[in-house]
Amino acid sequence: MLTTRLDKVLNWGRANAIFPATFGLACCAIEMMSVVSPRYDIARFGAEAMRASPRQADMLILSGRVSIKMAPVVRRLYDQMLEPKWVVSMGACSSSGGMFSNYAVVQGADKFLPVDVYVPGCPPRPEALIYGIMKLQDKIMGDKAMGWRERYQAEGTGEVEPGIA
Amino acid sequence: MTDQDPLAVPYRERERSVTMERMGDQPVSGTDALLEDERHEELFTLNIGPHHPATHGVLRLLTTLEGEVVRDIKPIVGYVHTGIEKSCEDQQYWKVITFVERMDYLAYYFNATAYCMSVERLLDEEVPPRAQYLRVIHMELNRIASHLFALATGALDLGAITMLWWGCRDRDLVLDLFEMSSGQRMHPRYIQVGGVFEDIPPGWEKKVREFLAIMPTRLDQYEDLLDRNEIWLERLKGTGVISQERALELGVTGPLLRATGHPWDLRKAMPYSSYEQFEFDVPVGHFGDNYDRFKVRMDEMRESLKIVEQGLDGLPEGRYITSNRKVALPPRHELATSMEALIHHFKLVTEGFRVPPGETYVAIESPRGELGCYVLADGSAKPARLHMRDPSFVNLQSLPDMARDSLIADFIACVAMLDPILGGIDR
């Protein structure tokens, strides 16, 4: 009984103080930066403190097309983030490959990392991204298992450093 | 898996194009006592990027440092390589516009115009004067938005966060205009082969004039904020100097070249889309340092405001897109009454239009320099080859020349004032 309540308080705190990673990929990164700007003001939802280091962030916004060359880098960034962590896939490209159905683009970032919220659009309006972040807040508040590996039954899939055995 | 399997090699060792070796034989230049101190002789390789807030996207820079002094920079690109040029070969001509807009994602109107102008040249298609003026108005508004964002992010890199908010605030004013005229904030696909997609809506002109009225004050505010700021001046003045000769050798264009004092502007040198009918000046710098680049961009925004105003004043009446039904869609209301219009609509939407064999190169002045579009047509409804000469890609190679033998903080200022757009570099 008591632990459930504590979880609720913790999740409420987590949902209302998201630290997004400053991570821009392509066109959507421009709209992602607009979200911080005065008109849209993501600070109203407690997610304005963009962190340059993934170690200090708990939300990764995949803002743009993920190329095959970039995918290992994105995955490494994600692995460097501390639990609990969430991923918002912003735009058509990172959600499904979008219009770039070709050799260079990963057809959906969920092929190599778990994605919590998909925001459609090319690029999505800043309001759409804010709506996605609000959906993520709902998800955080209702979620008991905070680690994504437990959430998605993916234990034992951590990154293996080459050369370190 | 065998050793020959490339996927068996660890990712970091796979990038054979990059040598992580030290620059051992590099002569130590300068007579600075700090550099001659033997503790500082060792060179240090620092990897900046691809995830780094100061690199404006996913640019990776391998820097060789001697103490805090940058000795060499190797830009490594390709992290947003999207294969757009290859994808365009699979699309009909009118569908390619959507793809090219997403190359340089701060200058979407320019990408679309360069591409449409090259296709129009292959088709030998006249663009009505009204469409040319509408293109010019939208391109200049886009230039303002692009320079504002470059200024905002550049100032953020140098620690001036207020400029980010102010820049985004005023960029949103431009994007509102785009939304009103074409329906979307970014990548609106407004420029069409043969003209523009739609005429401007009623009330748009008034909105633009309101924007033109407030923008000069806003630009003065920016100059008040930045141009009198000691930190801003100290970090920009005299850093990242590149000579005019070297800039020309490297093929640098745009504000970077104009900052060195060379008045090269394609709007003046090779007028296109009736730019010859507009009165405007080409701002140039004196020294080619970061401060000149900042000033050139500021002055260019003022010139763009002048051009937009002239465009609205002299906006000709007439068609906004060519009347050639083989290229442009018929008006919607004709589809219900005219069989011919229906056939043209069906042909255009299903097959597209065919372009006679040939090749062409059209260059326009984008916010970052000469944006060229090369199209090779083979007579079918799809381009055989499409290539964009993106100014960011060419300008980026001047970065080692700018930042060599300067402090690493000045190098960040160089990247900020270089304004590279990685979507355009990698395509």
Side-chain angles (χ1 to χ4, degrees):
Chain A
M1 185 66 189
L2 192 66
T3 47
T4 326
R5 277 200 190 154
L6 189 64
D7 269 355
K8 271 199 172 154
V9 173
L10 281 177
N11 287 344
W12 176 81
R14 281 167 182 146
N16 288 299
I18 302 178
F19 283 64
T22 317
F23 182 55
L25 280 166
C27 328
C28 292
I30 310 294
E31 293 293 65
M32 186 183 76
M33 289 174 86
S34 300
V35 156
V36 195
S37 73
R39 185 187 288 189
Y40 303 104
D41 196 14
I42 192 70
R44 293 176 293 156
F45 304 97
E48 84 281 14
M50 295 255 180
R51 285 288 173 252
S53 163
R55 302 267 185 217
Q56 300 167 356
D58 58 8
M59 176 171 71
L60 187 68
I61 300 178
L62 294 169
S63 51
R65 49 228 186 201
V66 186
S67 68
I68 287 174
K69 188 172 180 179
M70 193 64 197
V73 183
V74 177
R75 177 63 205 223
R76 171 158 296 204
L77 280 171
Y78 179 74
D79 285 334
Q80 283 175 350
M81 286 162 64
L82 299 181
E83 294 276 7
K85 54 189 171 187
W86 300 277
V87 178
V88 174
S89 164
M90 182 184 180
C93 297
S94 61
S95 300
S96 67
M99 58 196 280
F100 302 114
S101 165
N102 60 23
Y103 64 94
V105 177
V106 179
Q107 300 298 305
D110 47 9
K111 288 205 192 292
F112 63 89
L113 54 74
V115 176
D116 292 288
V117 176
Y118 299 87
V119 182
C122 188
R125 297 179 57 90
E127 292 96 329
L129 180 61
I130 290 179
Y131 185 69
I133 291 173
M134 286 165 72
K135 285 279 154 197
L136 181 68
Q137 287 181 331
D138 290 349
K139 191 170 179 178
I140 294 170
M141 284 201 245
D143 199 353
K144 284 194 210 74
M146 293 321 299
W148 68 267
R149 291 211 162 84
E150 294 90 73
R151 203 187 308 151
Y152 296 101
Q153 289 89 45
E155 285 90 349
T157 56
E159 189 189 29
V160 182
E161 278 283 324
I164 303 170
Chain B
M1 282 199 184
T2 61
D3 288 346
Q4 275 71 41
D5 186 354
L7 292 177
V9 182
Y11 173 68
R12 276 170 194 246
E13 289 169 33
R14 238 182 279 159
E15 292 193 329
R16 292 292 179 200
S17 60
V18 181
T19 56
M20 299 286 280
E21 284 165 21
R22 285 184 190 151
M23 300 164 53
D25 301 327
Q26 192 81 9
V28 178
S29 61
T31 53
D32 198 333
L34 182 77
L35 300 180
E36 286 176 0
D37 189 338
E38 58 181 20
R39 281 172 299 175
H40 289 273
E41 271 178 14
E42 192 171 306
L43 294 171
F44 173 70
T45 304
L46 178 69
N47 177 45
I48 302 179
H51 160 62
H52 189 266
T55 48
H56 293 252
V58 281
L59 173 64
R60 185 173 167 202
L61 297 161
L62 268 189
T63 49
T64 306
L65 303 177
E66 183 176 339
E68 212 179 325
V69 180
V70 177
R71 288 291 176 222
D72 197 21
I73 300 161
K74 287 177 190 157
I76 302 165
V77 298
Y79 285 95
V80 235
H81 176 62
T82 320
I84 297 182
E85 287 177 0
K86 192 70 189 168
S87 286
C88 290
E89 294 168 18
D90 271 348
Q91 304 295 331
Q92 291 153 13
Y93 280 97
W94 63 286
K95 289 183 180 171
V96 169
I97 304 169
T98 326
F99 280 82
V100 292
E101 273 187 336
R102 280 154 179 81
M103 287 184 175
D104 186 343
Y105 41 76
L106 279 181
Y108 25 91
Y109 280 106
F110 293 89
N111 295 335
T113 309
Y115 167 73
C116 288
M117 279 170 61
S118 52
V119 176
E120 282 152 10
R121 189 181 283 178
L122 284 170
L123 285 166
D124 206 12
E125 187 69 49
E126 266 308 305
V127 181
R130 187 176 177 85
Q132 293 188 3
Y133 266 62
L134 287 176
R135 282 181 183 183
V136 167
I137 292 170
H138 279 91
M139 278 196 287
E140 293 306 321
L141 287 172
N142 197 175
R143 191 186 307 275
I144 294 170
S146 172
H147 280 346
L148 273 178
F149 205 77
L151 192 63
T153 52
L156 181 68
D157 289 352
L158 302 180
I161 200 167
T162 311
M163 194 55 230
L164 174 76
W165 289 326
W166 286 14
C168 282
R169 174 192 67 184
D170 294 339
R171 179 175 167 270
D172 274 338
L173 297 179
V174 185
L175 296 194
D176 284 346
L177 300 174
F178 289 167
E179 205 177 344
M180 194 170 167
S181 71
S182 49
Q184 220 187 336
R185 285 159 59 89
M186 291 172 77
H187 314 318
R189 201 192 177 280
Y190 183 67
I191 314 278
Q192 293 270 89
V193 176
V196 295
F197 184 70
E198 249 178 351
D199 210 342
I200 48 173
W204 193 75
E205 190 190 332
K206 186 167 161 278
K207 278 260 194 188
V208 179
R209 288 197 192 274
E210 282 169 14
F211 170 75
L212 294 178
I214 57 169
M215 202 56 201
T217 334
R218 296 278 165 91
L219 290 174
D220 291 343
Q221 286 175 3
Y222 302 155
E223 294 216 318
D224 284 350
L225 181 73
L226 297 174
D227 218 4
R228 296 191 200 162
N229 186 328
E230 191 64 28
I231 303 170
W232 178 261
L233 297 177
E234 284 288 321
R235 288 198 69 176
L236 292 190
K237 277 193 174 168
T239 59
V241 182
I242 187 166
S243 70
Q244 195 181 108
E245 293 73 34
R246 187 64 185 147
L248 287 171
E249 277 170 17
L250 290 168
V252 171
T253 45
L256 273 75
L257 179 62
R258 289 195 283 277
T260 63
H262 197 297
W264 178 252
D265 189 323
L266 285 173
R267 293 175 290 174
K268 287 277 187 199
M270 293 191 282
Y272 53 90
S273 192
S274 41
Y275 263 114
E276 68 280 357
Q277 299 169 17
F278 291 88
E279 290 264 329
F280 62 98
D281 299 325
V282 177
V284 290
H286 296 287
F287 308 109
D289 61 354
N290 283 328
Y291 182 73
D292 278 351
R293 286 167 205 145
F294 158 68
K295 284 301 262 187
V296 164
R297 289 207 177 93
M298 289 299 288
D299 291 343
E300 268 185 25
M301 281 194 264
R302 292 205 166 86
E303 295 303 319
S304 293
L305 291 173
K306 271 162 63 181
I307 299 175
V308 174
E309 189 156 24
Q310 291 170 38
L312 287 178
D313 288 339
L315 189 60
E317 294 296 320
R319 298 189 59 86
Y320 58 86
I321 194 163
T322 173
S323 55
N324 185 358
R325 293 288 162 83
K326 303 284 179 211
V327 174
L329 288 174
R332 185 82 202 166
H333 63 87
E334 277 187 26
L335 295 188
T337 51
S338 162
M339 187 67 203
E340 205 182 335
L342 194 63
I343 292 169
H344 276 133
H345 188 278
F346 181 77
K347 282 288 277 183
L348 272 177
V349 172
T350 52
E351 195 204 342
F353 49 83
R354 288 169 184 267
V355 173
E359 55 181 344
T360 189
Y361 175 83
V362 172
I364 64 170
E365 185 74 25
S366 96
R368 275 159 279 282
E370 178 185 334
L371 176 75
C373 182
Y374 168 81
V375 178
L376 174 67
D378 57 357
S380 72
K382 294 172 182 175
R385 175 84 173 95
L386 185 136
H387 177 68
M388 281 274 189
R389 183 245 187 238
D390 196 274
S392 305
F393 181 71
V394 184
N395 291 354
L396 183 67
Q397 64 180 341
S398 68
L399 184 62
D401 280 77
M402 280 179 203
R404 196 169 283 141
D405 297 334
S406 64
L407 294 175
I408 194 162
D410 296 339
F411 154 65
I412 296 296
C414 288
V415 179
M417 286 297 129
L418 185 73
D419 184 26
I421 295 298
L422 271 293
I425 291 174
D426 294 340
R427 294 187 286 280

